[in-house]
Amino acid sequence: MATPDKLDPSATDLEMDTSNDGLGAVKTLLQSQSSGGIAKQVALTFRHLNVTAPDSGTVYAKTLPKAIMNTFGVDQFSFLRNLFSKRPLYSAQSSTREILTDFTGIVKPGEMLFVLGRPGSGCSTFLRTAANRSTLGVTGDLSFANITASEFEKHHRRETIYLPEEDRHIAALSVSQTIRFALRMSLPSEFRTNQLVEELVMVIGKMFGIQHVLDTPVGGQFFPGVSGGERKRVSIAEVLAAGSSVQCFDNSTRGLDSSTALDFVKALRRLTDIGRKTTLATLYQAGENIYSHFDKVLLIDQGYQIFFGRTEEAKTYFEDLGFVPLAGSTTAEFLTTITDPTQRRTTLGSKAENLTSPRQLSAAFRESPHFAKLLEEMSQYEEQLAAEAPLIPSSTYNLTYNRQVLECLRREYQLVKGQRHVYYTKWVTTIILCFTVGSLYYDLTVNAQGAFTRGGLLFFALILNGWLQFPELFDAHTNRPVLERQDAGKFFFFYLTLFVSTVNFSNLLRGFAYYVSSLDDCKDLNQVSYKANGTDICFRKASDTAGRRAPFVLVNEFVGLDITCDSSYIIPNIANNDSRYQTCNIPGALVGQIAVPGSQYAEALGWQFNHRWRNIGIMIAIALVYVLAGALGSEIMKFTPQGGTPIVYARHRSKSRRISKFSGDVEKEAALSPAGETSSDSDADKIYHDGPALTWNNLTVDIGDKQILKGISSYVRPGDFMAVCGASGAGKTTMLTALSQTNFAGRLGGEVMFGRKELGKAFKKATGFAQQQDLHDGTATVREALEFSALLRQPKNHSKAEKLAYVDHILELLDLVGVQDALIGDTESGLGVELTKRVTIAVELVARPKILFADEPTSGLDSQGAAHIVDYLRRLSRNGQAVLVTIHQPSASVFAKFDQFLALSSEGKQLYFGSVKQVLPYFERHGAVPPPNTNPAEFVLETVGAGIETRNYDKGIDWATRWDESPEAEAVAAEIGRIQNQGPSLADLEDGRIEEYNSSVFLQTWLLTVRIMKNQWRNVPYIYSKIWVHVVSAVLVGLTFFQLGTGPQDLQNRSFSVFFIVFLVNAIVNTILIRFFFARLYWEFREGPSKIYSWVALCNASILAEMPGALVCGVIYYILWYFPSGLPLGEPAGYVFLAVLTYEVFQVLLGLLMMAISPDLGVAGNVLVFMVCTMNWYNGLIVPYSQMQVFWRYWLYYLNPFTYLLGGLLMAVVGGLSVHCDESDLHKFTPPPGQTCGAYAGSWASSALARLVDPSATDSCSVCIWTTGDQYLEGFNLNPEETGGKWGFWGIFMAFTVSNLILVYFLTWATKIKKWKLFYFF
């Protein structure tokens, strides 16, 4: 290996210097990262490199029946295989597909490799493999500085890093906190100081132009934060802060404008040169300036290496073969077109004419002198490395374990501050619950009546802290990719137990988050575990976390306590009697004992005082096991798909609904036009502008105290194809949201008109907005998504047949017919970026909009994909559609396809508006002379000062002033005036009164309900997990209370059997919260603003779609619980069945209600805990009515729906029973000498409705304290003869269910339509 370059970390130039084109900043960063002043140099070499993945063929959507069948072994085997096998298991019979085939190459320290290929060609797989991060089957020779990949991973793991295309951050952390954490974890310990870290944060902020947002949250898809371009720069900065020697960047310029992308590549070039880094990157839509900064290029075609060599040699190589570049294309575009059979051009009679497949292109390269030159270069460098000293092994981590824990703890604290409203809710909830429950148990008596109540209090303390951990599960699961009145002694022991048990529950939740892919499955696995522990607490059937803590907490409470018996618990309760001839009606009481020691009471229940510290130790050990298991899961479990995910198809096939003719509708005619027929670069093929035009004059947008857009004037007419360009953060998206009135949250100034009218209800229905984020129901097929939009959004004057036929035409127009039955999926779907973007556009087009807005439709696409999307949009405009597009990195050929161009400065000012053909002449007239064959969009951005340092320039202000004073600006103003005075308005094209939606609420509800139910059918984890929870819970309770008898203890067990139904609410409602949260987000961010359906339809469908699953789950629970428990048949069985079904409906409505009043999942989870605890503890079952404090007894008891649910169920299963006591149920006492049991206690037994077993006995009396179940019910203030009995209770519970239904609608309207804030202090 070459001698490492020395970088002096103690040099005096460690200052925030960005002079000399940023070299000072680069040196500062590199010097700080070099341990001992030595920068490692790692060359990457690979020979005959192959990567394979399992080939499952055509994949169909897994539906609910299949998931249920897989429960019996298939899913368990798959889970264990993934758990214990780091890499996929391939058998000789396994079907595999090759992702990469026979790659050979070398990237030396100080070199940059440009990885080129179309999406799906294998670029991401190659970069993961090059970074030693692949989980696929890798064969061949992969070496780092002559060290094999396996050895390099063991001893130099931190020297390679891979940055995926998707930005994955902890959204609540600020930009500076994110970068600071990366620096603290990566800098050498001997040079890391707080001052240095803070200086480097500023250096990196300046280097990437994000110093102005250092204190802003990074944000995410549904979390507000920095812009998409700024978030991408944070990702890049985080990687560079790690200081790895081999750096792989996967499409890291996605979302950046061309100037900022160029600045990023320049920074990468400096870091590579000075730090002798080995850099690999795949960048889409790269301009010539970007391409020229790389040393080598690797071209991939469907997994085949068709070129590897110097960047300056690649174009010549393919031209020599006979390939012809398209006019105006850059080198990167030309190379990419080689891999596209529809785009590449060849010379007649050349060798290229016969190179039609990737395999042939690969073979041609291997026969070329370039390949021979590559092999020679590799051999020479390997010989050079062999003669030099090997790399010194380094630690995987720069920090000690203790320091790592400290830094992670610091980040967790920052995360708490970033999500403080969630924790405020949790803390307020806990405090309120503790005060209310504490008052419920206030001044507990030490008699027999209080013994049972004390157990309930301790049960609450343990179970509450378990419930409060559930909101953490969403954060753990979401952040996974970023990774994954007592004495003092008794109080201390109780607090220690409470703390350890809380840690146990929290780590159990996080453990499931690391091992289970679905959030629904995580929730339900935890709920089942939780319910099993709850059963154990009460009945001591097993020994697990909660089961171990409950007994010794109770022992701790009762030891040293004397439990006295008042008159109601003394047997027999005879006035002025000698206590020697009495006993106490509690476990452990002996004959003649009316005051029972607490330890004796605990031992009678099977709890030993001397086991408490042993159990504490066991709990701590379990907590450590959970922590270690979670850490192991975060390391070995990988849920991010690699090697390309297959497209998943629905099992049904769609039928075309084409109709023959669409006369007089230019959109229909556009759809009928074959691809390419109407696409032309001339203006002659444009139709007349015969519809209303959108104009905006002196447009301003203010968000908060900041003005984003300043005096923008422009217009778009039917048939216009308009591009909006500007630096990242210039306000392009803000302008689109303001003009389209979609998710617009600012203040709009200036004059915006559609035709001759200001914007109104009709305008919103006449627009389509293809957002940058592709938000879809991932389980819907492409056709289903389009039909849903068409049926709900197209004007009413179109019949259903016409609407559905128009979907066929749009599918053909955007070349989506082949995937019309494919599930759309999510961001990691096999549908791919380009197809998903086409679906996003298609969903808007099927609504027949007058104006189509598209925000960054080419973001994330390669040059060919971007060209295809732009071609589709141009085809629409040529047939009368007004299209307004924001675009970041248009190539010269793509830019030429637009008609008009609007340029914005980074300050949000207008720089130019007019024909794309006049852009360069305009800037040339004002002194900016473009070089030959320049890309106009890139030239404009560079001229006006775009890029990373844009905020330090004043060029944009100068050019904005020139525009304001130009004759072009006057011409635009005049044209706007003409359009407003003479053009038609939308009202001229509308008949009748204007409605907010194009479809009825009934149709909206019906179609949305069908879509949600299809989602449930295909989104297996949701319904499957609900069924699974009901099955496991019912079996647990049914077998625990198997075939109950009618003795006194059985009556209590019947009540517990009934009580455990309330544990379902937390499990089921939590999954509903998650589901409704995301459904509401889709409505808030896309489908609501697009006027697809109303909030009423959202509530209707959310409720109706849940009903079938809820009722099925209720039937399953009832059958598996009720009959095994041996509960009464006949009318009681019918009543319980009806009550269980009502309870299932109640749970659904409660979940929707919680989400309606909550701003996010964290708050909803904590509010749910508060509601559930309140309903569980104030229903008269845990704390009997007579023992409640008066304040709660007379209002909260009666306002609690569970009072009536549990009361009715208890009356059904206990009321009217004849009690029969076994020997173990009998209470024994001794009669006075010379008296029989009947003579001594007969009158008491008659008055107390107790039964003496043998009234004639004289030595020992046995008594069964109850003769009917109604006596047991009296202790809970339940009388079957009052308040209508159980049916009256069911009626009241039904009223609560109906009130939930009403509140769902009211609170959704209040919080989402009227924007009421129910939590002002957040």
Side-chain angles (χ1 to χ4, degrees):
M1 187 188 79
T3 304
D5 290 345
K6 286 276 187 173
L7 296 170
D8 183 8
S10 61
T12 57
D13 62 345
L14 279 177
E15 56 189 24
M16 295 177 292
D17 175 28
T18 58
S19 61
N20 192 20
D21 203 22
L23 289 177
V26 174
K27 290 180 179 179
T28 299
L29 179 62
L30 292 173
Q31 288 168 352
S32 64
Q33 292 173 337
S34 303
S35 180
I38 299 177
K40 285 188 177 180
Q41 299 182 28
V42 179
L44 170 67
T45 59
F46 46 95
R47 269 194 178 90
H48 307 300
L49 180 67
N50 296 275
V51 178
T52 57
D55 184 9
S56 52
T58 302
V59 180
Y60 292 100
K62 182 180 179 181
T63 55
L64 185 60
K66 181 72 172 177
I68 294 174
M69 294 299 297
N70 285 358
T71 301
F72 304 100
V74 177
D75 286 344
Q76 290 79 1
F77 172 75
S78 299
F79 175 78
L80 293 175
R81 182 189 65 183
N82 293 332
L83 178 62
F84 294 109
S85 176
K86 182 177 180 181
R87 297 189 184 273
L89 297 178
Y90 301 107
S91 65
Q93 294 78 24
S94 297
S95 177
T96 61
R97 57 191 175 96
E98 290 189 346
I99 307 297
L100 301 179
T101 304
D102 203 10
F103 276 48
T104 298
I106 180 171
V107 190
K108 302 174 186 176
E111 288 185 341
M112 292 175 59
L113 175 67
F114 194 2
V115 182
L116 267 178
R118 302 187 68 204
S121 62
C123 294
S124 297
T125 299
F126 174 76
L127 291 177
R128 286 195 190 95
T129 306
N132 225 9
R133 296 290 189 272
S134 179
T135 60
L136 302 175
V138 179
T139 58
D141 179 19
L142 177 64
S143 301
F144 301 86
N146 263 6
I147 302 173
T148 63
S150 57
E151 287 297 314
F152 196 83
E153 184 177 15
K154 292 178 183 177
H155 304 294
H156 309 276
R157 184 178 179 184
R158 66 180 305 273
E159 293 301 328
T160 62
I161 195 166
Y162 168 75
L163 177 63
E165 183 175 354
E166 300 81 15
D167 297 310
R168 293 169 178 170
H169 297 282
I170 299 178
L173 294 181
S174 69
V175 172
S176 62
Q177 289 169 346
T178 301
I179 298 174
R180 191 178 292 115
F181 180 79
L183 289 169
R184 288 182 177 278
M185 298 299 285
S186 61
L187 290 177
S189 57
E190 58 267 31
F191 303 114
R192 184 181 58 253
T193 63
N194 290 336
Q195 180 183 357
L196 176 61
V197 169
E198 294 306 315
E199 287 181 352
L200 288 176
V201 169
M202 297 304 298
V203 165
I204 292 173
K206 287 190 174 183
M207 185 184 300
F208 293 100
I210 52 176
Q211 68 271 28
H212 62 288
V213 293
L214 287 176
D215 296 326
T216 305
V218 177
Q221 187 175 13
F222 301 114
F223 193 101
V226 299
S227 69
E230 290 165 340
R231 189 176 302 117
K232 176 60 69 177
R233 283 181 260 171
V234 173
S235 300
I236 298 169
E238 191 177 24
V239 168
L240 296 182
S244 300
S245 300
V246 180
Q247 303 176 128
C248 300
F249 298 89
D250 192 353
N251 197 16
S252 294
T253 58
R254 178 180 180 178
L256 303 181
D257 64 81
S258 54
S259 293
T260 304
L262 177 59
D263 287 343
F264 157 65
V265 174
K266 288 179 179 178
L268 211 57
R269 179 77 264 178
R270 298 188 198 104
L271 286 165
T272 303
D273 290 340
I274 301 174
R276 307 299 293 168
K277 305 289 186 184
T278 302
T279 303
L280 297 82
T282 177
L283 307 174
Y284 292 154
Q285 303 181 49
E288 201 64 46
N289 288 338
I290 290 177
Y291 180 83
S292 63
H293 279 79
F294 287 85
D295 302 292
K296 295 177 178 177
V297 60
L298 166 63
L299 185 57
I300 305 176
D301 185 5
Q302 297 182 37
Y304 286 88
Q305 175 184 343
I306 65 173
F307 183 81
F308 186 99
R310 307 296 301 180
T311 51
E312 62 271 15
E313 298 174 355
K315 183 176 182 180
T316 304
Y317 165 74
F318 285 105
E319 285 179 331
D320 291 343
L321 288 176
F323 291 100
V324 180
L326 299 175
S329 64
T330 64
T331 303
E333 289 175 328
F334 168 55
L335 295 179
T336 309
T337 58
I338 305 298
T339 67
D340 187 351
T342 65
Q343 295 286 325
R344 61 191 178 212
R345 302 290 183 267
T346 60
T347 304
L348 290 176
S350 66
K351 184 178 180 180
E353 278 192 312
N354 299 319
L355 301 178
T356 58
S357 69
R359 186 186 297 273
Q360 292 172 333
L361 287 166
S362 177
F365 170 66
R366 292 184 173 278
E367 296 171 357
S368 70
H370 294 275
F371 187 71
K373 182 180 176 181
L374 171 62
L375 295 179
E376 182 181 357
E377 179 187 6
M378 294 177 66
S379 298
Q380 290 177 354
Y381 196 78
E382 287 170 351
E383 291 176 2
Q384 178 185 342
L385 287 177
E388 297 176 356
L391 282 180
I392 301 173
S394 59
S395 172
T396 302
Y397 307 101
N398 268 338
L399 272 64
T400 63
Y401 176 77
N402 292 338
R403 188 71 185 182
Q404 292 176 46
V405 172
L406 180 62
E407 293 298 337
C408 290
L409 183 62
R410 186 202 305 264
R411 186 174 67 171
E412 284 298 311
Y413 171 73
Q414 294 168 345
L415 184 58
V416 170
K417 288 183 63 178
Q419 301 182 43
R420 61 178 67 91
H421 69 285
V422 174
Y423 290 88
Y424 287 165
T425 309
K426 184 175 182 178
W427 296 334
V428 169
T429 297
T430 304
I431 292 171
I432 293 176
L433 279 174
C434 289
F435 273 120
T436 55
V437 175
S439 65
L440 179 65
Y441 290 92
Y442 177 73
D443 197 21
L444 280 178
T445 60
V446 293
N447 55 22
Q449 187 181 45
F452 179 81
T453 309
R454 286 175 185 271
L457 172 60
L458 297 175
F459 180 65
F460 165 81
L462 295 173
I463 213 166
L464 171 64
N465 282 277
W467 267 336
L468 286 172
Q469 307 316 307
F470 279 101
E472 290 189 15
L473 182 59
F474 180 71
D475 287 335
H477 191 275
T478 303
N479 294 332
R480 180 176 65 192
V482 186
L483 317 154
E484 290 217 299
R485 200 177 61 182
Q486 306 296 330
D487 62 80
K490 287 187 176 182
F491 175 78
F492 168 76
F493 186 84
F494 170 74
Y495 182 78
L496 174 64
T497 305
L498 196 62
F499 174 78
V500 175
S501 65
T502 302
V503 171
N504 265 288
F505 267 122
S506 179
N507 286 314
L508 179 65
L509 286 164
R510 292 179 178 273
F512 281 127
Y514 293 134
Y515 283 94
V516 182
S517 60
S518 164
L519 188 57
D520 290 328
D521 289 340
C522 288
K523 287 276 187 182
D524 293 320
L525 281 171
N526 281 289
Q527 290 288 358
V528 168
S529 173
Y530 185 73
K531 186 161 186 175
N533 285 331
T535 308
D536 181 31
I537 288 176
C538 294
F539 305 105
R540 311 179 310 280
K541 298 297 183 185
S543 185
D544 200 351
T545 303
R548 290 193 178 276
R549 63 188 181 162
F552 62 80
V553 168
L554 293 170
V555 169
N556 178 70
E557 172 67 22
F558 285 106
V559 167
L561 188 71
D562 286 332
I563 304 173
T564 60
C565 291
D566 56 19
S567 59
S568 61
Y569 279 80
I570 293 178
I571 300 175
N573 184 16
I574 300 174
N576 300 319
N577 196 21
D578 192 335
S579 62
R580 291 177 299 169
Y581 309 115
Q582 294 175 317
T583 189
C584 189
N585 181 18
I586 63 171
L590 302 177
V591 174
Q593 196 176 46
I594 59 174
V596 181
S599 57
Q600 184 176 316
Y601 172 77
E603 289 176 2
L605 298 175
W607 302 331
Q608 300 296 322
F609 180 73
N610 57 351
H611 291 168
R612 62 176 189 160
W613 287 109
R614 179 203 67 180
N615 289 343
I616 281 284
I618 293 174
M619 282 184 60
I620 294 174
I622 292 174
L624 292 175
V625 169
Y626 286 161
V627 170
L628 293 175
L632 181 64
S634 67
E635 285 287 325
I636 67 174
M637 298 301 293
K638 306 296 181 185
F639 296 100
T640 302
Q642 294 192 17
T645 53
I647 296 179
V648 180
Y649 292 90
R651 291 191 176 274
H652 70 271
R653 291 296 177 182
S654 303
K655 296 180 180 179
S656 176
R657 301 180 178 88
R658 175 180 299 282
I659 61 179
S660 59
K661 188 176 180 181
F662 299 97
S663 58
D665 191 323
V666 295
E667 292 174 320
K668 297 171 183 175
E669 294 170 5
L672 283 169
S673 302
E677 283 187 6
T678 59
S679 182
S680 171
D681 291 336
S682 69
D683 293 332
D685 59 344
K686 291 178 63 175
I687 70 166
Y688 294 105
H689 308 306
D690 57 355
L694 177 66
T695 61
W696 55 102
N697 190 23
N698 197 29
L699 174 71
T700 62
V701 172
D702 297 273
I703 298 179
D705 298 329
K706 185 177 180 181
Q707 190 169 63
I708 306 300
L709 295 175
K710 305 168 184 175
I712 312 299
S713 298
S714 186
Y715 56 84
V716 59
R717 301 162 297 189
D720 282 344
F721 189 22
M722 177 176 168
V724 181
C725 289
S728 298
K732 302 183 295 297
T733 299
T734 300
M735 189 181 79
L736 255 64
T737 58
L739 293 175
S740 65
Q741 299 294 294
T742 302
N743 298 325
F744 180 60
R747 298 187 304 277
L748 185 67
E751 185 180 46
V752 183
M753 300 183 70
F754 191 45
R756 293 178 285 108
K757 297 290 182 88
E758 293 185 354
L759 306 186
K761 289 183 179 180
F763 172 75
K764 191 67 203 76
K765 295 192 298 180
T767 62
F769 187 8
Q771 301 181 25
Q772 185 173 356
Q773 292 178 333
D774 300 309
L775 298 178
H776 299 282
D777 177 1
T779 60
T781 67
V782 173
R783 173 175 284 278
E784 288 169 353
L786 269 60
E787 289 184 350
F788 181 80
S789 180
L791 291 173
L792 293 181
R793 298 174 65 184
Q794 286 192 27
K796 293 181 178 179
N797 60 334
H798 295 283
S799 67
K800 181 179 179 181
E802 287 180 321
K803 293 177 180 179
L804 294 178
Y806 192 64
V807 169
D808 286 328
H809 301 314
I810 295 299
L811 286 169
E812 291 184 3
L813 179 70
L814 296 181
D815 292 340
L816 292 171
V817 175
V819 293
Q820 62 179 322
D821 295 311
L823 271 58
I824 298 174
D826 53 22
T827 55
E828 296 175 345
S829 162
L831 208 54
V833 178
E834 181 184 345
L835 283 174
T836 305
K837 184 62 66 178
R838 275 193 258 163
V839 172
T840 300
I841 295 171
V843 165
E844 300 302 318
L845 287 180
V846 294
R848 303 177 189 267
K850 302 296 181 183
I851 301 178
L852 176 64
F853 299 92
D855 188 15
E856 301 294 344
T858 62
S859 179
L861 302 178
D862 69 327
S863 55
Q864 271 60 51
H868 290 164
I869 291 293
V870 172
D871 277 337
Y872 295 134
L873 295 174
R874 179 179 174 83
R875 192 184 309 164
L876 287 168
S877 71
R878 288 298 169 266
N879 288 275
Q881 178 78 63
V883 182
L884 180 58
V885 172
T886 64
I887 192 165
H888 264 144
Q889 303 177 40
S891 64
S893 59
V894 167
F895 184 79
K897 297 179 185 297
F898 291 96
D899 302 318
Q900 296 172 309
F901 175 60
L902 173 63
L904 301 178
S905 72
S906 58
E907 298 85 12
K909 294 187 176 182
Q910 186 167 346
L911 305 175
Y912 175 83
F913 173 70
S915 170
V916 295
K917 296 181 179 180
Q918 298 302 317
V919 174
L920 293 181
Y922 169 81
F923 279 89
E924 189 172 1
R925 286 198 304 273
H926 289 84
V929 180
N933 300 320
T934 188
N935 181 334
E938 290 183 0
F939 173 75
V940 170
L941 291 177
E942 292 171 7
T943 300
V944 302
I948 288 176
E949 293 295 326
T950 181
R951 296 180 180 274
N952 299 327
Y953 298 152
D954 58 3
K955 294 181 181 179
I957 299 175
D958 295 339
W959 283 101
T961 302
R962 293 176 188 176
W963 168 257
D964 291 338
E965 299 172 352
S966 69
E968 287 84 356
E970 294 179 3
V972 170
E975 180 65 13
I976 291 175
R978 188 194 68 78
I979 293 173
Q980 292 178 348
N981 293 329
Q982 301 177 10
S985 67
L986 183 61
D988 298 333
L989 308 177
E990 297 284 346
D991 295 325
R993 66 186 185 89
I994 298 175
E995 298 179 350
E996 188 173 6
Y997 298 92
N998 279 335
S999 56
S1000 65
V1001 173
F1002 175 80
L1003 181 60
Q1004 295 170 24
T1005 300
W1006 170 254
L1007 293 179
L1008 185 57
T1009 301
V1010 171
R1011 189 181 77 172
I1012 294 175
M1013 294 188 71
K1014 284 182 178 179
N1015 179 289
Q1016 293 177 354
W1017 188 254
R1018 295 169 183 163
N1019 182 22
V1020 173
Y1022 178 64
I1023 291 293
Y1024 174 81
S1025 61
K1026 289 177 69 173
I1027 293 175
W1028 195 76
V1029 164
H1030 280 81
V1031 169
V1032 175
S1033 300
V1035 170
L1036 275 173
V1037 178
L1039 295 181
T1040 300
F1041 304 101
F1042 186 71
Q1043 294 300 309
L1044 294 173
T1046 58
Q1049 184 59 48
D1050 290 319
L1051 297 186
Q1052 184 167 330
N1053 287 345
R1054 285 172 184 252
S1055 68
F1056 280 128
S1057 174
V1058 165
F1059 175 75
F1060 268 94
I1061 197 173
V1062 303
F1063 280 85
L1064 286 173
V1065 70
N1066 215 24
I1068 302 307
V1069 174
N1070 265 295
T1071 58
I1072 294 173
L1073 290 181
I1074 298 169
R1075 185 173 184 79
F1076 188 58
F1077 172 71
F1078 286 106
R1080 193 183 72 185
L1081 283 178
Y1082 289 140
W1083 176 77
E1084 287 185 81
F1085 282 90
R1086 188 177 74 83
E1087 296 178 324
S1090 297
K1091 300 301 177 183
I1092 301 179
Y1093 54 86
S1094 66
W1095 68 272
V1096 175
L1098 174 66
C1099 293
N1100 290 345
S1102 298
I1103 294 169
L1104 292 174
E1106 291 290 340
M1107 290 301 107
L1111 297 178
V1112 169
C1113 288
V1115 171
I1116 292 173
Y1117 186 89
Y1118 172 79
I1119 293 173
L1120 296 180
W1121 156 63
Y1122 194 84
F1123 298 109
S1125 298
L1127 300 177
L1129 303 177
E1131 185 201 18
Y1135 174 87
V1136 172
F1137 180 70
L1138 179 61
V1140 168
L1141 294 185
T1142 308
Y1143 175 60
E1144 293 290 340
V1145 175
F1146 176 87
Q1147 289 181 108
V1148 169
L1149 296 174
L1150 179 65
L1152 298 178
L1153 174 61
M1154 292 297 98
M1155 205 63 252
I1157 66 175
S1158 305
D1160 54 45
L1161 275 176
V1163 172
N1166 286 312
V1167 173
L1168 174 64
V1169 170
F1170 176 81
M1171 295 295 294
V1172 170
C1173 287
T1174 302
M1175 290 187 293
N1176 282 357
W1177 261 261
Y1178 293 87
N1179 53 54
L1181 198 59
I1182 294 295
V1183 181
Y1185 177 82
S1186 61
Q1187 297 179 33
M1188 281 187 178
Q1189 295 296 325
V1190 173
F1191 177 76
W1192 303 115
R1193 184 191 307 170
Y1194 291 124
W1195 69 279
L1196 190 54
Y1197 170 82
Y1198 292 103
L1199 290 178
N1200 187 349
F1202 281 11
T1203 296
Y1204 307 96
L1205 170 68
L1206 296 176
L1209 290 173
L1210 198 56
M1211 283 189 281
V1213 301
V1214 173
L1217 286 178
S1218 296
V1219 178
H1220 302 280
C1221 290
D1222 296 329
E1223 183 65 25
S1224 59
D1225 296 319
L1226 298 175
H1227 292 271
K1228 300 182 183 297
F1229 59 91
T1230 303
Q1235 294 190 36
T1236 64
C1237 294
Y1240 171 61
S1243 58
W1244 165 82
S1246 298
S1247 61
L1249 299 179
R1251 180 174 63 86
L1252 288 172
V1253 175
D1254 185 4
S1256 62
T1258 57
D1259 296 330
S1260 177
C1261 301
S1262 298
V1263 62
C1264 184
I1265 57 173
W1266 293 318
T1267 56
T1268 69
D1270 292 345
Q1271 293 175 267
Y1272 177 77
L1273 294 176
E1274 288 176 2
F1276 297 98
N1277 193 42
L1278 298 175
N1279 189 336
E1281 304 301 325
E1282 298 178 359
T1283 63
K1286 58 180 179 288
W1287 289 107
F1289 273 46
W1290 177 83
I1292 298 173
F1293 182 68
M1294 188 64 189
F1296 277 105
T1297 303
V1298 173
S1299 68
N1300 278 357
L1301 175 67
I1302 297 171
L1303 287 173
V1304 167
Y1305 286 92
F1306 172 74
L1307 291 172
T1308 301
W1309 169 82
T1311 58
K1312 301 307 169 189
I1313 305 302
K1314 294 301 182 182
K1315 305 298 182 182
W1316 294 0
K1317 293 186 179 295
L1318 302 182
F1319 300 93
Y1320 282 103
F1321 53 95
F1322 297 148

